Amino acid sequence: MSTTATAIDTGHHDHDHDHPEYLQHHFVSADQQFDSAKMGIWLFLVTEVLLFSGIFVAYAVFRNWYPESFHETFSTLNIVYGFVNTCVLLTSSYTMVMAINSIQNNQVDKMVNYLFTTVALGAVFMLVKTVEYKEKYDGGIFFWLWEPHGHHYEHLANVAYASIFMKLYFVATGIHGLHVLIGMLLLLWVAWKGKEGRWSSDYYNYVEVSGLYWHLVDIIWIFLFPLLYLTS
Amino acid sequence: MSVTMIEPGQTMPAIEHHYLNAEKGIKSWLTTVDHKRIGIMYLISVVLFFAVGGLLAVFVRLELLTPGRTIMDAAMYNRVFSAHGIVMVFLFIIPSIPASLGNFLLPIMIGAKDVAFPRLNLASFYIYWAGGILGIIGMLSGAVDTGWTFYAPYSTTTTTVVWMTLAVFVAGFSSILTGLNFVVTIHKMRAPGMTWTRLPLFLWGIYATAIIQVLATPVIGITMLLLMMEKLIGIGIFDPKLGGDPVLYQHFFWFYSHPAVYIMILPAMGVISELMATFSRQKIFGYKAIALSSMAIALVSFLVWGHHMFVAGQSEVAAIIFSAITYLVGVPTGIKVISWVGTMYKGSISLRAPMIYAQMFLFLFTIGGLTGIMLGSLNVDVHLHDTYYVVAHFHYVMMGGTVIAFLGGLHYWWPKMTGKMYNESLAKWAAGLIFIGFNVTFFTQFILGSQGMPRRYYDYVPEYASLHAFSTYGSWILGLGLLVAFICFIHSLIKGEQVGADPWGGTTLEWLTTSPPDAHNFKRVPLVTRNPYDYDAAYDDLLGDGMGDGASRTPVVSPSRS
Ligand code: HEM
Ligand SMILES: [Cu+2]
């Protein structure tokens, strides 16, 4: 708890005392600002988990009701793609940790490089996902599309409720993919501002906060991967 | 032991520098990050949506004035009552007290300069409006006719739910961000000495609300998203035609929407606690009981959603459990009512308009809460479910509870927000009309419901005609009352008398700063040395310049204390 402010004169209308530049006017100390940011992002992550938990509940209910269709449908997913993407995201979480580590040691250039690596890994993830989506699209399966054909998918046409599971797959991975994209943009912005010299070991709230967000995106995938791909 | 700061008849000098004139021009408002200005913008916005929703309600009641067609056809009627519900719930009542009064008061009441994330605060205001505009598009482009609950399979078969559900999704996002901001603000931004047990009870209400906002709203978010997907890409999880389950939708929906009713009522309860203390000039009876019961309500509210689905095909065991837990909600609610009555007991009660509203709240909310308990018992609900009895119940809690408390709070903090007093007798006339109009409109509906009149029906048998007509007449009185209240506020803006820092003898921190407050709220960070309703110690504060640290304290002859 850092609300240990003393009853100092806050200077009313002038801001010329020894507050560091990054300290916003309504905070008493940099610690208070940092703690607030951190608590804010944690709460936000909780809301994200709750959002996804809605999808997980729907998944659990339908898996429970129609276990056979569930297995038939998800056994058409390609484990290799899922596995590669899991490794990619795990690595990106590591580079993210290193980015924060670097800025804590005031190594701005190193941090920027790690951030770019993280974003690049995110891009690899999206690329693999796109290839995967494309294969399904060619097999007549996509968000709104349900005309399974081709040797890999055509039997799904005769599996009751297979479309429910496939569409849940698209909704879950689609929303997750959107989160990856947002995370990439966020990290690019942070890296950009890093290049401009905005962050230092004294002030790296945004690096920390977007890092936590990135880990969340990773963790959600860690759940999605076994639930969707490792089902047989 | 009232502290009279000025002689009667003497006018207060106007404050020279305050948040309203700190910057000028419409742009300074639209880009402001000052929580007070954002609170005012929210206030204007929710009043606007209240007016829209209210107008729609007038049309609903007009249609029901006589059996058969009165002013519109059945399809239109379905759209109008749906739009009424959606606007009132998602665009008015959920943001109402927290986003307007809460935004304005929260930082001041804890002695902070602003909320933790001022820019996020402004962003959530715009996101709220994005939701509002989507809702308006939804209404104009054919409108939803499912009721505010969007039950499948209606919602998967009518065409235009996508705009409306998107509106709810977006508005929900704004609600989450506001809640998040408030939780962090209360945790991290309190002035020195402002311990948790010194928080004004309004803030305990806001805090419990904010927690629910953060924990429940994501669920409505994903529900709306899944519903949109159901509609757009046909997932098939809710639509029975595709193998889905409409009851699953109801579980999703009420998992949010029952806690959401406490998003609506907890801030109102917080307002009432402030009014009870100030206008009884008594320390709150059972401060901790009220504070903790807010948290208890927040907790229990997550466990009772099934009471909306007693006849929807859930298992009997589930129904019995949900019924039992629903009774539990009554306990913390009852504790609050007892504490308020205890606060008034032997207090020196001053029946100014805000206190009149507080009394109205006590009366109406008790009726609403007790009828809720009745609906919570299985055997009764099987008879009353989906009748006007339920309509009456939730209007007694939402309108009789939240809207009345909002009005009371608005009168109470109006002088703080604007620096101007309202006209007391005009305000009391409005309150009287609202009270009569409200009861005529909605008590009638308890009778209608218990006689079996189903809700959401366009037409009814002639036996119900006189009660329906009576209810419609009531809605006119109610509408008139609200109009008078509105005029009263406008009148105050133009003609209102300048007030001092503390026109009511209130003891929470907002009364220490000028009316209207300075752009930075206080001259210095206040040092909090007493409990929020400590009337004796508060008097000592006023000896200094009110900042709690004793600076510029001038020896004043103490008036006699009783
Ligand atoms: C003592 C506390 C309360 C209890 C025990 C309670 C109980 C209930 C029950 C059992 C129902 C379902 C009736 C049915 O559909 O057959 C219900 C409906 C409802 N209640 Fe409450 N309630 C309480 C307080 C509140 C509060 C404080 C609010 C809002 C501020 C509220 C708003 C609603 C609404 C909006 C509905 C109807 C929803 C719909 O079907 O459209 N209730 N209540
Ligand atoms: Cu409920």
Side-chain angles (χ1 to χ4, degrees):
Chain A
M1 180 98 322
S2 333
T3 44
T4 47
T6 44
I8 43 158
D9 194 315
T10 55
H12 208 181
H13 285 136
D14 59 309
H15 290 270
D16 55 359
H17 29 105
D18 56 337
H19 281 179
E21 199 187 323
Y22 54 77
L23 184 62
Q24 288 177 284
H25 85 284
H26 60 293
F27 287 114
V28 175
S29 67
D31 271 354
Q32 187 189 31
Q33 179 168 337
F34 185 64
D35 284 3
S36 303
K38 217 154 165 182
M39 184 173 185
I41 186 69
W42 275 108
L43 282 174
F44 183 73
L45 297 187
V46 168
T47 70
E48 289 277 24
V49 169
L50 284 163
L51 187 91
F52 276 96
S53 66
I55 298 178
F56 288 133
V57 167
Y59 166 93
V61 167
F62 281 87
R63 176 174 181 168
N64 202 19
W65 279 349
Y66 311 124
E68 271 121 49
S69 326
F70 163 79
H71 282 290
E72 291 238 10
T73 315
F74 283 163
S75 59
T76 62
L77 297 184
N78 189 336
I79 296 180
V80 174
Y81 290 141
F83 183 72
V84 168
N85 261 352
T86 307
C87 296
V88 167
L89 276 195
L90 279 176
T91 317
S92 78
S93 259
Y94 170 76
T95 53
M96 188 64 233
V97 169
M98 291 314 290
I100 292 174
N101 204 346
S102 313
I103 193 65
Q104 279 170 338
N105 295 320
N106 237 346
Q107 298 162 308
V108 176
D109 290 340
K110 218 165 139 194
M111 174 204 71
V112 171
N113 286 339
Y114 273 120
L115 284 176
F116 281 139
T117 317
T118 311
V119 173
L121 288 166
V124 172
F125 176 93
M126 292 307 287
L127 197 72
V128 174
K129 204 81 235 155
T130 312
V131 172
E132 215 184 337
Y133 274 15
K134 174 82 169 55
E135 274 183 12
K136 293 199 173 44
Y137 185 78
D138 292 340
I141 299 174
F142 205 51
F143 283 87
W144 56 87
L145 195 64
W146 186 249
E147 290 152 7
H149 55 74
H151 77 281
H152 194 65
Y153 295 112
E154 63 192 352
H155 68 290
L156 286 183
N158 303 316
V159 177
Y161 311 121
S163 81
I164 294 187
F165 290 107
M166 260 314 170
K167 285 177 179 176
L168 271 178
Y169 160 87
F170 276 110
V171 170
T173 55
I175 296 180
H176 176 262
L178 200 64
H179 279 77
V180 175
L181 271 183
I182 293 171
M184 286 163 64
L185 290 178
L186 204 66
L187 292 181
L188 272 182
W189 178 82
V190 171
W192 187 258
K193 289 287 159 188
K195 272 192 137 162
E196 285 178 3
R198 271 277 283 279
W199 325 125
S200 67
S201 56
D202 287 333
Y203 178 62
Y204 57 96
N205 292 6
Y206 284 86
V207 192
E208 172 99 16
V209 160
S210 20
L212 283 169
Y213 177 83
W214 189 258
H215 293 320
L216 172 94
V217 173
D218 186 17
I219 285 168
I220 286 174
W221 179 257
I222 300 293
F223 279 94
L224 283 177
F225 173 56
L227 289 178
L228 298 175
Y229 292 79
L230 303 180
T231 52
S232 29
Chain B
M1 52 144 271
S2 76
V3 182
T4 321
M5 301 296 288
I6 50 159
E7 302 294 322
Q10 179 186 339
T11 47
M12 284 309 253
I15 305 296
E16 227 167 286
H17 295 291
H18 50 72
Y19 77 102
L20 290 169
N21 65 11
E23 279 173 283
K24 292 227 162 55
I26 187 93
K27 185 150 170 278
S28 77
W29 278 85
L30 294 179
T31 58
T32 183
V33 289
D34 179 346
H35 67 98
K36 298 181 287 302
R37 285 179 163 219
I38 293 175
I40 298 288
M41 294 200 292
Y42 264 119
L43 180 61
I44 295 168
S45 312
V46 297
V47 166
L48 209 71
F49 281 110
F50 183 62
V52 173
L55 208 64
L56 291 163
V58 168
F59 289 136
V60 171
R61 279 317 318 166
L62 258 181
E63 174 49 46
L64 294 171
L65 183 60
T66 61
R69 184 190 166 108
T70 310
I71 54 166
M72 56 180 106
D73 61 17
M76 190 62 188
Y77 175 78
N78 290 344
R79 291 173 175 167
V80 172
F81 84 68
S82 300
H84 161 70
I86 295 165
V87 169
M88 283 301 200
V89 169
F90 295 110
L91 296 175
F92 166 67
I93 204 164
I94 288 182
S96 62
I97 296 180
S100 62
L101 294 178
N103 245 322
F104 191 96
L105 292 164
L106 166 57
I108 307 184
M109 279 181 154
I110 59 172
K113 279 189 185 171
D114 209 321
V115 293
F117 312 115
R119 268 179 294 173
L120 188 70
N121 203 16
L122 183 66
S124 45
F125 174 76
Y126 282 111
I127 296 174
Y128 162 75
W129 261 103
I133 288 169
L134 284 167
I136 293 168
I137 294 176
M139 271 189 269
L140 298 181
S141 66
V144 171
D145 59 359
T146 59
W148 73 283
T149 48
F150 301 108
Y151 273 8
Y154 307 133
S155 50
T156 49
T157 44
T158 53
T159 47
T160 41
V161 292
V162 172
W163 286 111
M164 272 298 186
T165 42
L166 192 62
V168 172
F169 177 82
V170 172
F173 201 51
S174 147
S175 175
I176 290 176
L177 295 179
T178 303
L180 185 154
N181 215 339
F182 285 3
V183 171
V184 177
T185 306
I186 292 181
H187 272 267
K188 302 290 181 196
M189 307 289 286
R190 284 170 289 130
M194 178 54 85
T195 58
W196 282 91
T197 50
R198 285 176 180 170
L199 278 184
L201 285 169
F202 175 61
L203 294 191
W204 274 102
I206 290 287
Y207 180 67
T209 307
I211 299 242
I212 308 180
Q213 282 176 299
V214 170
L215 296 184
T217 318
V219 178
I220 193 80
I222 191 67
T223 308
M224 292 295 122
L225 216 63
L226 287 174
L227 189 60
M228 276 187 274
M229 290 298 149
E230 190 79 6
K231 190 77 210 156
L232 293 174
I233 69 171
I235 314 180
I237 51 173
F238 299 142
D239 189 348
K241 227 174 36 217
L242 301 173
D245 179 13
V247 177
L248 183 66
Y249 173 80
Q250 296 190 21
H251 278 291
F252 269 79
F253 183 82
W254 288 112
F255 184 83
Y256 164 76
S257 292
H258 184 83
V261 309
Y262 293 100
I263 294 179
M264 306 173 200
I265 199 69
L266 282 168
M269 291 169 156
V271 169
I272 296 302
S273 299
E274 300 298 325
L275 300 185
M276 288 293 175
T278 299
F279 292 95
S280 305
R281 293 205 68 74
Q282 286 250 79
K283 204 179 255 171
I284 278 280
F285 176 73
Y287 169 90
K288 283 207 174 117
I290 294 191
L292 294 180
S293 64
S294 291
M295 299 309 286
I297 289 179
L299 199 77
V300 180
S301 74
F302 280 97
L303 307 173
V304 299
W305 77 91
H307 66 212
H308 295 273
M309 301 161 58
F310 285 155
V311 298
Q314 60 185 351
S315 80
E316 269 170 42
V317 181
I320 289 168
I321 293 173
F322 279 128
S323 172
I325 308 177
T326 298
Y327 289 157
L328 277 185
V329 182
V331 177
T333 312
I335 289 176
K336 282 185 193 285
V337 173
I338 290 169
S339 298
W340 292 325
V341 175
T343 304
M344 287 190 291
Y345 180 67
K346 289 196 171 163
S348 53
I349 295 178
S350 137
L351 276 182
R352 296 291 300 266
M355 188 58 160
I356 303 252
Y357 278 110
Q359 301 305 309
M360 281 160 58
F361 173 95
L362 212 54
F363 181 79
L364 301 174
F365 177 74
T366 304
I367 295 179
L370 287 177
T371 52
I373 301 281
M374 288 166 72
L375 290 171
S377 53
L378 275 171
N379 46 352
V380 178
D381 188 66
V382 170
H383 177 66
L384 293 176
H385 176 69
D386 265 350
T387 67
Y388 265 74
Y389 195 91
V390 174
V391 177
H393 154 68
F394 67 70
H395 281 92
Y396 266 79
V397 276
M398 303 205 314
M399 170 112 207
T402 307
V403 176
I404 294 297
F406 190 22
L407 280 164
L410 215 49
H411 283 84
Y412 178 55
W413 283 298
W414 183 262
K416 182 52 63 184
M417 295 192 287
T418 64
K420 304 258 173 75
M421 189 44 93
Y422 60 83
N423 180 307
E424 188 68 25
S425 58
L426 204 57
K428 282 183 178 161
W429 269 103
L433 284 170
I434 290 171
F435 185 72
I436 295 168
F438 177 82
N439 282 298
V440 171
T441 311
F442 291 108
F443 200 83
T444 318
Q445 297 185 0
F446 278 127
I447 306 172
L448 271 170
S450 60
Q451 291 180 353
M453 172 71 208
R455 66 188 283 205
R456 295 180 173 171
Y457 271 37
Y458 171 66
D459 200 1
Y460 48 83
V461 292
E463 282 82 347
Y464 295 132
S466 51
L467 284 175
H468 265 303
F470 195 62
S471 177
T472 300
Y473 301 147
S475 70
W476 297 341
I477 306 176
L478 179 56
L480 180 68
L482 289 167
L483 204 64
V484 176
F486 183 73
I487 291 170
C488 174
F489 284 127
I490 300 299
H491 174 264
S492 156
L493 279 185
I494 302 164
K495 285 252 161 82
E497 237 175 80
Q498 175 69 36
V499 294
D502 191 2
W504 308 114
T507 49
T508 37
L509 287 192
E510 76 274 25
W511 302 112
L512 294 183
T513 181
T514 52
S515 313
D518 181 82
H520 293 254
N521 296 345
F522 298 99
K523 288 181 287 224
R524 308 188 295 287
V525 177
L527 179 68
V528 181
T529 53
R530 59 174 169 83
N531 291 327
Y533 309 107
D534 197 339
Y535 284 90
D536 290 339
Y539 173 71
D540 287 336
D541 277 3
L542 294 175
L543 292 182
D545 63 357
M547 302 308 289
D549 48 12
S552 65
R553 175 173 295 209
T554 42
V556 171
V557 185
S558 145
S560 62
R561 294 190 205 168
S562 54

